[in-house]
Amino acid sequence: MAGTDFSQTTFDHRCMLVLVKPIGNITVKKFQHVYTYLRHHYQRVNVPSVNRVIRLKFIQNVHNESRVWGTLHMHKFVLGLLCVGELKSEDQMSDLSQKFTDNVTQHSETLFDSRLIIMTDLSLPDQTKAIIVNWENYQDQLSIAIPEFGASLFCILDAKRIDKLNEKVDKMTMLRISLETDSGNQDDRPTDNRNVFDVKQSGNKKKCAGRNKKRLGDLCLLANLSYDALSHYSAAVDGLRSANDLLWLAGALEGICAATIICKSGDYVLTPESAAVLPESKGRRSPSFNAVMKDDNTGSTVPSLNSNLLSTNDVIERYTEAIRIYNKINVAPLIELEANIKLANALASFDRRIEVSETLMRILYTKYPFSEEEKIQRYCFVSHIYEKVGCIRKAAFMSRIASMQCLSRNISNHPWIAVYSFMKKTLKGYNLSLNMKSCWKHTSGWPALQLHVLKELIMSSRHLNDPAISSRLLIFILQFMDSSLSDADKQTYGALLEVQSKNIIGSPYQFNFNNNYGSQPISMKKFPHIINFTCLSSPIHLQAIKRLSNTSTTDDQNCFIFSALQKRSNSGKVDKIPTAIQNEIVKVAVKLFNPMPFEIKINKMMLITKGVTFDSYPSSIIVPPKSEPLSLFLTGIPRSSGKLHILGYSSQVFGLNSLCTSTFDDKDLHLEVDVIPALPLLHISSTLVPGFTGTASNEIETLTINLSTYAGERNSFYMIFENLSYVDVNFLDLQVINKSNDSTVSFDWCNQDLQQRLPCPQRKHIKLPIALNIPYSDFPSGVDTFPKKVTSVLKCIYSRGNTQNDYCRQTETVFNITIMPSIRILNFDILSDDSCNECLILFDIENLTTYTIEFSWTVTKTGTSAHILIPKGAARRVAISIEKIEIVTITNEKVLSKEMLYLKKLSDAVQLKWRIRSCGKDGIVQLNSNHLTLAMIDRLTLAPVKIDVHINDRPISNGLQPLHDSFTVASLIPLKAVITNISGGPLHNVCISIECYQDYENGFYDTQLSDKCTIIGTEHFMIEELQVDEIAEQECHIVFFCPGKYCLDVSCIQFATHSYRNNKSLYNLSEIDKKSQQVNLHKLQISADPQKDSQIAMKLNPKDQNLKYVDSKMSSVKDIIDKKFISPMSSDKQLRQSTTPKLWNLKSNIVMTVVNA
């Protein structure tokens, strides 16, 4: 054991020294456990009986030279003894007691009290000097025994203090140190230090009084009476200085400095019960009894004793004076060294760097004969003080000297662990740190010197028989010192690292260092260098999509309403958390490169995660030297749902495991992923034509089907949905997306049939029939009939649940359709007769294919059908007779136009189909709005009224067929016309007219029959309003004067409102030629100018008329009507665009035969 304690401070002057020694067969580990517990928990002991606190300093060994100087400094005496032994059987009790007695005898001169601590599980009788404790609860038992032991020490100490305080001058003894000689100007008496003082010798009298005052100050300081000790030290200094007692004067100066520092720290006690252990009559009180009482932790000083306190400069001056005195005395090098140590600690607390440096130089150049271990401790102490005052570079240098001292030739077994620890402490002084987070930020320093220090550190680490430590240092050099290394040095260190990693036991090795080495694992963040670390999204057909519920839009969500109270969304500023699916692969893209001049082999590179259970799959890659950035994918499968935190990656480089949670630039690699419950996975196929599965630009895997078909063709096929997962499909929805703007391709399937096939169990499939309808595309004449290409997408959305806000998947089937022309409709027209309820559809069919085509049609109402064969490139004329269509009232023109509405009615009335027998293809033909005009609509629709004619009270059917009954000349024939409104709406300005004429069947009609017949009664009857289903009747009589065949017309005409009111003279039919009454007035247009509301424009289009007869006077009638109705300013375009109601004329033609009576 070294004689110098480099850990002591001025505060040790108030600590009672307690020696703790192992006895018996107790193991070192158990003893150190007990010793460490005592040092950490019982440096302060409360004395409950006197409300006092004392300090204990526990040590394991005492040097003989230190015991010698206990007379000068009482805190160096061993005042307490604790022997710790282990008892396994009762037979060992006597042996432990004997060894305890031997230790007490060895230190009996200075010992106050002692205890034997027996660690055992046996039940023993109570021992006077023994503390029996069990291993399980020894701390609880020591918590009672140690304070009691400390109180015992205090009682003895305070008794000695009071005895010394009450000691008379003539009874004082001369205190002597065994090393005192005449050469030191000390008393030359025998070595007995307790001799009785001879009062007659005046020189010894002052020395004796001064030394006893010094001893009294030591006792007060040990009793934690700092101010009492300060006064006694001050008196001792004055007495010893006058007696020229140098050694004890230096001790008193050191004591007064220690007492001052303790008083200024506030850790002292002033109590009136200082002498409570003895009766008051046995001695006088200490002067401190009149002082103000302070608690142990009080920081203020006592005003009555402030005069004895020294300032900081005085403390330094007194300490320096004491050290000079020690230096003059040849026998006091140890005390001088310890005084320098305590002064250095005090100066470091005062932050006096210059004085600290001078004191440390005296410690370094002292002539005290140090052992090799003491030399190492001296350099460590100097390094510690330099670091304490902030001289980091000097501290690093002294720590490096300490490591070199460990390699001295005088030491047989070099402590390489200590060498490595000292060298590691020097890193901070050279601006180096093995902590990766702080190292990359601090790149300044001295590269050459830093490399030299790191090489020495590597050299020392290689002797620790742990290649992991040297491998770590090599990795550190390659990662953080690469800018100061040449390519050759990098290759050398790389080769050395590869060799060291192979020597690691159990390689691949993960850094688990011994705590004694003070090293922590390091991550190889430059092997390789990570540029990008991103979680990739799955392909769209594998992604999970949120099914949002259909919620109504509130007013505050309306984009046209602004309010300052609306909550603004910050969703655009928040990074979207990627979503993964349970039991499916999560892929992380890593972009890396190798900055080193040698090849790097990376094995078992895997993701590091926390949160949900995750199976990570390893990947390997060989990165060439100084490579360009390479890409690598790290994958794994989450086995449960929840939050998945990807912390980084682990890898094996040079056979070493590395855990990286950030890049070399300290960028965090943490990724957060939401893992949702498992979803089903469908594979889609079709029976239409062989398709192929590919990946489009948006990374969605689709089934692409290329199909060539004819316009109007219907293709039936099956879509097969195969469940490849282990999750049932409970929800399946199909949607059609037409990507071409002019595409009207439609898909037909039974959604009810689809829902009945659900759920689709795992590893099963659903077969759904679907029809692909290719719209009929009419190619106008003169236009090239090249094939047309369209694209349609059938999107499939499916999931495991059938509730809203669930996650689902989607996949697509792309149909690339080439539509070839089939047939073309030309010259479409509709013919009609006002007297019948049927019309005739006429059009030409042209075959645009390269095959002979069969064209067929079916009238829906009657079920009649017919077909014709059309060779390739040929055309045929088709005439189809159908019943007229009832008038349809248009309630919303934005929904469907008039042409489209009647076109739909016409398509429902007759079905047009084509078929190519040679290739087994068929389809339908659809009429479009270009085929149907407003004039055709008039001929296609039924009249809004129904006319029933009764002759002789018998109903007569319409037609030109003669009646079976004949009429006689001059007989009165009753005639009644019944008009019924069947239009679905009220009719205004309806006129019923009855006329008679003769048809000579040679193209001439005779209407001048005033001499042949006459009509008795109302010939023209005007009805201003006829409600729905309302009946109007007109009755009259006819008398024929001559026999013959006569034709009778019963007509119903509706006129425009304005034309009737403003031009009533026009409707005086007697003024117009009877031939003109049969003109079919098809359209009546009103001028757009509201001021000309009374001017009605009527246009007669001969092409649109269906006249029963025409003669030369028709033009004159037209001229009369045009002059009264057509405005000179009205153009033909204005007439076509007007919305005035139409004029219509419905006739009931009857042929009557008249004979003589």
Side-chain angles (χ1 to χ4, degrees):
M1 171 64 186
T4 306
D5 183 10
F6 287 94
S7 64
Q8 59 185 325
T9 63
T10 54
F11 293 96
D12 290 344
H13 285 263
R14 64 176 178 182
C15 297
M16 287 189 285
L17 202 63
V18 178
L19 180 64
V20 183
K21 298 195 68 176
I23 58 175
N25 297 325
I26 188 172
T27 61
V28 177
K29 183 177 179 181
K30 291 182 178 181
F31 172 76
Q32 288 295 334
H33 193 71
V34 175
Y35 175 72
T36 303
Y37 175 76
L38 293 175
R39 288 195 62 181
H40 289 170
H41 293 82
Y42 297 104
Q43 291 184 354
R44 293 167 54 98
V45 176
N46 295 317
V47 184
S49 59
V50 294
N51 193 20
R52 192 72 62 85
V53 176
I54 61 173
R55 303 299 195 284
L56 301 179
K57 182 178 180 180
F58 298 94
I59 60 174
Q60 297 187 46
N61 294 288
V62 179
H63 196 268
N64 291 330
E65 191 174 356
S66 298
R67 296 166 56 186
V68 171
W69 292 103
T71 305
L72 180 63
H73 294 301
M74 194 173 179
H75 70 278
K76 299 182 71 66
F77 274 145
V78 177
L79 303 181
L81 175 65
L82 292 176
C83 292
V84 182
E86 184 179 10
L87 183 64
K88 296 182 179 180
S89 63
E90 296 183 0
D91 298 339
Q92 299 176 351
M93 187 63 190
S94 59
D95 186 31
L96 291 177
S97 300
Q98 182 61 39
K99 290 182 179 180
F100 172 68
T101 304
D102 295 342
N103 280 279
V104 172
T105 304
Q106 184 180 355
H107 302 281
S108 60
E109 295 182 1
T110 60
L111 208 60
F112 284 0
D113 200 357
S114 60
R115 292 289 187 274
L116 173 61
I117 301 176
I118 300 177
M119 314 294 293
T120 181
D121 295 330
L122 303 176
S123 59
L124 300 175
D126 294 338
Q127 302 291 331
T128 304
K129 290 289 186 176
I131 302 174
I132 309 299
V133 296
N134 296 326
W135 282 113
E136 296 180 356
N137 57 351
Y138 76 94
Q139 296 180 355
D140 297 335
Q141 296 175 356
L142 290 180
S143 64
I144 300 175
I146 299 301
E148 185 272 332
F149 173 68
S152 175
L153 292 177
F154 172 76
C155 292
I156 299 173
L157 174 68
D158 203 52
K160 290 182 177 292
R161 179 186 66 83
I162 294 177
D163 288 344
K164 181 60 67 176
L165 183 65
N166 297 329
E167 189 176 15
K168 296 181 180 180
V169 178
D170 56 347
K171 297 297 183 179
M172 291 183 180
T173 57
M174 175 66 74
L175 301 177
R176 287 179 59 90
I177 302 174
S178 61
L179 299 178
E180 289 186 80
T181 60
D182 292 336
S183 61
N185 295 326
Q186 303 297 328
D187 199 309
D188 55 356
R189 294 184 182 185
T191 58
D192 186 8
N193 60 347
R194 307 288 294 177
N195 292 334
V196 179
F197 173 68
D198 189 359
V199 181
K200 296 181 179 180
Q201 297 179 3
S202 60
N204 290 337
K205 182 178 180 180
K206 293 182 179 180
K207 290 182 181 181
C208 183
R211 292 185 181 186
N212 279 276
K213 279 289 183 182
K214 165 68 172 61
R215 173 60 62 85
L216 183 58
D218 289 346
L219 291 171
C220 290
L221 200 59
L222 290 174
N224 205 13
L225 299 173
S226 303
Y227 275 98
D228 292 355
L230 191 64
S231 61
H232 294 307
Y233 282 138
S234 180
V237 168
D238 295 338
L240 294 173
R241 191 183 296 279
S242 62
N244 198 24
D245 194 354
L246 299 181
L247 181 60
W248 285 85
L249 174 62
L253 291 173
E254 191 176 354
I256 195 173
C257 292
T260 300
I261 293 174
I262 292 172
C263 289
K264 287 188 175 182
S265 68
D267 201 0
Y268 59 86
V269 175
L270 296 175
T271 59
E273 296 82 3
S274 299
V277 293
L278 293 175
E280 184 177 353
S281 60
K282 291 187 179 182
R284 62 182 180 86
R285 290 173 178 262
S286 173
S288 62
F289 288 174
N290 299 324
V292 180
M293 181 178 66
K294 295 289 181 181
D295 190 21
D296 186 46
N297 295 326
T298 305
S300 61
T301 59
V302 181
S304 62
L305 300 177
N306 276 345
S307 59
N308 293 325
L309 285 175
L310 302 178
S311 64
T312 301
N313 294 331
D314 291 338
V315 170
I316 297 174
E317 183 180 351
R318 298 293 189 277
Y319 244 125
T320 306
E321 182 182 357
I323 291 172
R324 285 199 302 266
I325 294 175
Y326 288 143
N327 191 28
K328 293 178 182 179
I329 303 173
N330 295 330
V331 296
L334 177 61
I335 299 299
E336 177 189 0
L337 178 61
E338 291 180 348
N340 280 299
I341 292 173
K342 289 182 280 189
L343 177 59
N345 279 301
L347 292 173
S349 62
F350 299 153
D351 199 17
R352 297 293 188 92
R353 296 190 179 186
I354 297 178
E355 290 84 352
V356 166
S357 181
E358 294 175 353
T359 305
L360 294 179
M361 288 301 103
R362 290 196 296 267
I363 295 175
L364 290 175
Y365 294 106
T366 185
K367 297 180 181 180
Y368 183 78
F370 292 107
S371 64
E372 295 298 330
E373 184 179 355
E374 289 177 328
K375 290 179 182 179
I376 296 172
Q377 292 182 2
R378 178 180 60 174
Y379 291 124
C380 291
F381 171 76
V382 174
S383 175
H384 171 70
I385 298 299
Y386 272 132
E387 185 178 3
K388 192 174 181 180
V389 297
C391 299
I392 306 300
R393 178 74 185 278
K394 290 184 178 180
F397 177 76
M398 298 310 300
S399 181
R400 188 178 175 192
I401 296 299
S403 66
M404 295 179 180
Q405 188 65 41
C406 294
L407 301 178
S408 175
R409 296 180 179 179
N410 299 326
I411 301 177
S412 58
N413 296 324
H414 299 298
W416 288 106
I417 295 178
V419 174
Y420 176 80
S421 300
F422 293 148
M423 286 300 302
K424 190 173 180 298
K425 292 180 180 179
T426 64
L427 297 178
K428 184 178 179 181
Y430 295 103
N431 201 20
L432 289 172
S433 175
L434 297 182
N435 186 2
M436 176 184 256
K437 292 184 177 180
S438 60
C439 184
W440 74 273
K441 298 179 182 178
H442 305 285
T443 56
S444 60
W446 309 268
L449 186 58
Q450 289 174 340
L451 281 174
H452 186 69
V453 172
L454 289 174
K455 289 179 182 178
E456 292 179 350
L457 189 62
I458 292 175
M459 183 271 296
S460 61
S461 65
R462 295 179 65 182
H463 290 82
L464 297 178
N465 296 326
D466 193 348
I469 299 178
S470 58
S471 300
R472 178 183 185 274
L473 294 172
L474 290 171
I475 293 172
F476 179 84
I477 291 178
L478 289 173
Q479 286 195 144
F480 300 103
M481 304 296 295
D482 60 328
S483 59
S484 303
L485 297 175
S486 62
D487 289 347
D489 293 336
K490 293 178 183 179
Q491 291 180 353
T492 302
Y493 285 119
L496 182 60
L497 175 61
E498 190 171 0
V499 172
Q500 288 292 323
S501 63
K502 292 181 180 179
N503 296 330
I504 298 175
I505 300 176
S507 183
Y509 183 83
Q510 184 170 337
F511 294 112
N512 294 320
F513 295 98
N514 192 328
N515 293 331
N516 295 330
Y517 304 156
S519 298
Q520 296 297 329
I522 191 172
S523 302
M524 289 179 278
K525 299 181 180 180
K526 219 169 186 178
F527 311 133
H529 194 291
I530 302 299
I531 302 176
N532 190 17
F533 192 83
T534 308
C535 184
L536 295 181
S537 300
S538 302
I540 297 180
H541 72 285
L542 296 178
Q543 288 182 7
I545 303 173
K546 191 75 172 179
R547 292 176 56 202
L548 299 178
S549 60
N550 296 326
T551 56
S552 59
T553 304
T554 59
D555 292 340
D556 58 350
Q557 294 174 340
N558 196 327
C559 61
F560 297 104
I561 299 177
F562 171 78
S563 173
L565 301 178
Q566 290 181 3
K567 295 181 180 180
R568 301 301 173 189
S569 175
N570 296 325
S571 60
K573 300 180 182 179
V574 180
D575 294 336
K576 184 178 180 181
I577 299 178
T579 303
I581 304 173
Q582 179 184 351
N583 297 328
E584 295 192 15
I585 292 179
V586 174
K587 185 181 294 185
V588 175
V590 182
K591 197 173 185 180
L592 50 87
F593 72 96
N594 178 17
M596 295 298 166
F598 50 84
E599 184 180 79
I600 297 179
K601 297 180 180 180
I602 306 173
N603 298 320
K604 296 184 179 180
M605 193 171 183
M606 299 185 298
L607 295 175
I608 305 174
T609 62
K610 74 174 183 178
V612 303
T613 305
F614 188 81
D615 295 341
S616 184
Y617 298 141
S619 300
S620 300
I621 188 174
I622 298 177
V623 188
K626 294 185 178 181
S627 65
E628 296 294 330
L630 303 177
S631 296
L632 179 67
F633 296 103
L634 301 180
T635 59
I637 296 179
R639 296 303 181 183
S640 59
S641 59
K643 286 287 185 180
L644 173 64
H645 297 274
I646 301 177
L647 306 179
Y649 67 93
S650 65
S651 61
Q652 283 186 9
V653 184
F654 300 110
L656 303 176
N657 284 353
S658 173
L659 306 179
C660 298
T661 58
S662 61
T663 63
F664 183 75
D665 299 332
D666 202 27
K667 294 180 180 179
D668 193 11
L669 297 179
H670 180 265
L671 299 174
E672 184 177 348
V673 181
D674 285 335
V675 181
I676 64 174
L679 292 178
L681 179 61
L682 291 181
H683 172 71
I684 300 180
S685 59
S686 171
T687 60
L688 185 59
V689 291
F692 64 94
T693 302
T695 302
S697 59
N698 57 357
E699 296 186 357
I700 177 171
E701 185 177 285
T702 61
L703 173 65
T704 302
I705 296 177
N706 297 324
L707 179 65
S708 295
T709 183
Y710 289 97
E713 183 179 356
R714 180 182 178 90
N715 299 272
S716 298
F717 61 96
Y718 286 94
M719 291 295 293
I720 303 173
F721 304 95
E722 183 179 1
N723 187 359
L724 302 179
S725 64
Y726 293 95
V727 181
D728 295 345
V729 179
N730 295 301
F731 172 79
L732 180 61
D733 185 27
L734 299 179
Q735 298 178 2
V736 179
I737 302 174
N738 290 321
K739 293 188 176 182
S740 301
N741 295 331
D742 56 347
S743 174
T744 57
V745 175
S746 63
F747 294 83
D748 294 336
W749 67 87
C750 181
N751 192 53
Q752 184 178 2
D753 183 24
L754 175 61
Q755 299 303 322
Q756 290 177 354
R757 298 173 187 266
L758 294 177
C760 179
Q762 49 185 329
R763 300 296 177 176
K764 300 294 182 180
H765 68 274
I766 294 177
K767 198 172 183 181
L768 179 67
I770 296 180
L772 173 60
N773 299 320
I774 307 299
Y776 171 77
S777 179
D778 191 16
F779 297 88
S781 60
V783 178
D784 294 335
T785 58
F786 292 110
K788 178 181 178 182
K789 294 184 178 180
V790 297
T791 301
S792 293
V793 177
L794 185 63
K795 180 185 289 188
C796 175
I797 301 175
Y798 60 96
S799 69
R800 63 183 298 169
N802 198 15
T803 60
Q804 294 290 349
N805 297 328
D806 285 343
Y807 283 93
C808 64
R809 276 184 170 144
Q810 66 179 17
T811 184
E812 295 180 355
T813 302
V814 178
F815 291 84
N816 296 324
I817 305 172
T818 302
I819 302 177
M820 298 179 295
S822 54
I823 60 176
R824 178 163 53 191
I825 297 178
L826 301 174
N827 303 324
F828 185 86
D829 196 4
I830 297 178
L831 300 181
S832 176
D833 189 356
D834 292 339
S835 61
C836 63
N837 296 330
E838 295 183 352
C839 62
L840 189 64
I841 301 175
L842 299 175
F843 55 88
D844 294 333
I845 289 293
E846 182 181 1
N847 184 0
L848 302 178
T849 67
T850 58
Y851 304 94
T852 299
I853 196 167
E854 177 184 322
F855 180 76
S856 62
W857 62 91
T858 301
V859 179
T860 305
K861 190 171 184 179
T862 61
T864 60
S865 61
H867 69 275
I868 58 174
L869 294 178
I870 307 174
K872 62 178 181 178
R876 294 291 184 268
R877 187 69 172 176
V878 176
I880 305 174
S881 177
I882 64 172
E883 291 186 1
K884 289 185 178 181
I885 301 172
E886 295 181 356
I887 297 177
V888 180
T889 303
I890 302 176
T891 57
N892 190 353
E893 296 183 357
K894 295 183 179 179
V895 176
L896 200 63
S897 65
K898 183 176 181 180
E899 290 83 353
M900 295 301 298
L901 185 62
Y902 280 95
L903 184 63
K904 185 177 183 301
K905 290 285 186 178
L906 180 60
S907 300
D908 295 339
V910 59
Q911 298 180 2
L912 308 178
K913 299 180 180 180
W914 58 265
R915 182 180 181 185
I916 304 176
R917 294 181 178 273
S918 58
C919 58
K921 292 182 177 293
D922 56 20
I924 62 174
V925 179
Q926 295 176 342
L927 301 176
N928 55 41
S929 59
N930 295 328
H931 295 150
L932 202 62
T933 63
L934 293 177
M936 295 181 187
I937 294 175
D938 294 337
R939 295 192 290 271
L940 181 65
T941 56
L942 288 170
V945 296
K946 177 183 179 183
I947 301 177
D948 295 325
V949 180
H950 298 264
I951 299 177
N952 288 332
D953 297 329
R954 188 178 63 179
I956 304 300
S957 61
N958 294 338
L960 293 178
Q961 298 297 328
L963 297 178
H964 298 288
D965 297 338
S966 59
F967 303 93
T968 61
V969 176
S971 62
L972 186 65
I973 304 172
L975 174 65
K976 182 173 69 172
V978 181
I979 307 299
T980 306
N981 183 1
I982 61 173
S983 63
L987 299 177
H988 301 277
N989 306 325
V990 178
C991 179
I992 303 174
S993 178
I994 300 175
E995 303 176 59
C996 188
Y997 67 94
Q998 279 187 323
D999 185 3
Y1000 295 105
E1001 298 181 357
N1002 59 358
F1004 180 77
Y1005 300 90
D1006 186 7
T1007 59
Q1008 301 297 327
L1009 301 179
S1010 58
D1011 56 345
K1012 295 183 179 181
C1013 69
T1014 183
I1015 297 176
I1016 303 172
T1018 304
E1019 186 176 356
H1020 305 286
F1021 178 69
M1022 199 70 182
I1023 305 172
E1024 292 188 0
E1025 183 177 4
L1026 187 64
Q1027 296 295 334
V1028 179
D1029 296 333
E1030 185 179 354
I1031 299 174
E1033 297 181 355
Q1034 180 184 4
E1035 296 183 359
C1036 63
H1037 294 77
I1038 301 177
V1039 178
F1040 293 97
F1041 304 137
C1042 299
K1045 185 181 293 185
Y1046 297 87
C1047 295
L1048 184 65
D1049 281 353
V1050 179
S1051 301
C1052 183
I1053 305 175
Q1054 183 185 20
F1055 297 97
T1057 303
H1058 299 287
S1059 63
Y1060 171 73
R1061 292 178 180 177
N1062 300 328
N1063 301 276
K1064 293 183 178 180
S1065 61
L1066 177 66
Y1067 300 100
N1068 187 0
L1069 301 181
S1070 62
E1071 298 179 0
I1072 306 177
D1073 194 303
K1074 296 299 181 179
K1075 297 181 181 180
S1076 64
Q1077 296 180 19
Q1078 307 305 323
V1079 176
N1080 189 2
L1081 305 178
H1082 287 282
K1083 292 184 180 179
L1084 182 64
Q1085 311 279 347
I1086 298 179
S1087 174
D1089 191 353
Q1091 296 180 359
K1092 301 179 180 180
D1093 215 14
S1094 62
Q1095 298 179 358
I1096 307 302
M1098 178 191 301
K1099 180 181 178 182
L1100 294 176
N1101 189 351
K1103 182 179 179 181
D1104 294 337
Q1105 296 177 2
N1106 186 11
L1107 304 181
K1108 299 299 290 184
Y1109 47 88
V1110 179
D1111 58 9
S1112 61
K1113 293 186 178 181
M1114 288 298 297
S1115 59
S1116 61
V1117 175
K1118 181 178 181 299
D1119 293 340
I1120 296 173
I1121 297 176
D1122 289 344
K1123 288 178 181 180
K1124 292 189 176 185
F1125 283 89
I1126 299 178
S1127 173
M1129 302 300 295
S1130 300
S1131 63
D1132 184 69
K1133 181 177 180 181
Q1134 290 175 334
L1135 295 175
R1136 288 197 302 267
Q1137 295 179 349
S1138 178
T1139 58
T1140 304
K1142 180 193 69 171
L1143 283 176
W1144 48 265
N1145 179 6
L1146 183 64
K1147 303 174 184 180
S1148 178
N1149 301 310
I1150 302 173
V1151 179
M1152 302 176 64
T1153 303
V1154 180
V1155 297
N1156 292 323

